[in-house]
Amino acid sequence: MKNWMLWLIVGVISIVGGLVALLNPLAATFAAERLIGWIFIIVGVLQVISAFREQGRGASLWAGLIGVLALLAGISLLSNPFSGVISLTLVLSVLIAAAGISKLITAYQIRRARYFPLILISGLVSIVLAILIFTNFQEAATVLLGVMLAIELISNGVSLIALSLFRRSPT
C-alpha cells in the first residue's frame, strides 16, 4: 500500500486525541453527546426524506415515524446536553449489563469448550462494570462517554499504526 505513512499519521493523531480525551473526560463526554445529537438529526432528516420516496404507505409511515423520532432525539440531545449525557449513560449502562448477561448465558452454554473461561470472565467484567455505573451513576454520567471515546480513539490508533506497519513491510 502506497499510503502506509498516511495511515500511520492518522493512527498517531487518533492516539493523541484519545489521550487528550482521557485528560479531560468531561469535555470529551459532552463532545460525544453533541456528536451523537447531530448524527440523530442527520439520520432523522434523511429518514423522513426517504419516507416520502417509499412506494407503500405502511413502509412510508414507519420510515417517517422513525425519522421524526430520531430527529426529536437529536434536537433533545442538542438542546439539553446534560440530560442527554444522563440518558446516553443510562442506555449505555443497560446495554453493558445486557451484554454481560448475554455473555454469561453463552458461557454457560459452552461450559465444556476451551474458551469458556474467557467468555465467562468477559461477562462478569461487563456485569461488574454495569453495577459500578449504576451505583455511582452521577459521577459515571459525567465521564463515562468521554472515557469510552478516549479508549476507542486509542484502540483505533493502535490498530491503524499496526495496519500501516503491516502494509509498509514488503512481505
Side-chain angles (χ1 to χ4, degrees), residues 13-132:
I13 291 170
S14 186
I15 289 174
V16 169
L19 293 174
V20 169
L22 271 180
L23 292 174
N24 193 349
L26 179 62
T29 293
F30 281 103
E33 187 270 345
R34 302 294 269 173
L35 178 65
I36 292 167
W38 279 109
I39 288 171
F40 270 118
I41 286 175
I42 292 167
V43 167
V45 167
L46 293 174
Q47 188 83 21
V48 169
I49 291 170
S50 70
F52 286 110
R53 295 183 176 187
E54 285 294 324
Q55 297 298 329
R57 283 204 323 202
S60 175
L61 180 65
W62 280 110
L65 180 62
I66 291 169
V68 168
L69 290 174
L71 185 60
L72 291 174
I75 291 169
S76 175
L77 287 171
L78 293 178
S79 64
N80 196 348
F82 188 72
S83 289
V85 167
I86 299 293
S87 300
L88 290 172
T89 302
L90 180 61
V91 167
L92 188 59
S93 58
V94 168
L95 288 174
I96 290 170
I101 291 167
S102 175
K103 290 177 207 174
L104 291 177
I105 292 169
T106 301
Y108 177 76
Q109 290 173 344
I110 64 162
R111 60 189 171 276
R112 292 191 171 98
R114 180 174 162 190
Y115 299 107
F116 159 77
L118 294 175
I119 297 171
L120 178 68
I121 290 169
S122 177
L124 292 172
V125 166
S126 294
I127 296 294
V128 168
L129 183 58
I131 290 169
L132 287 172

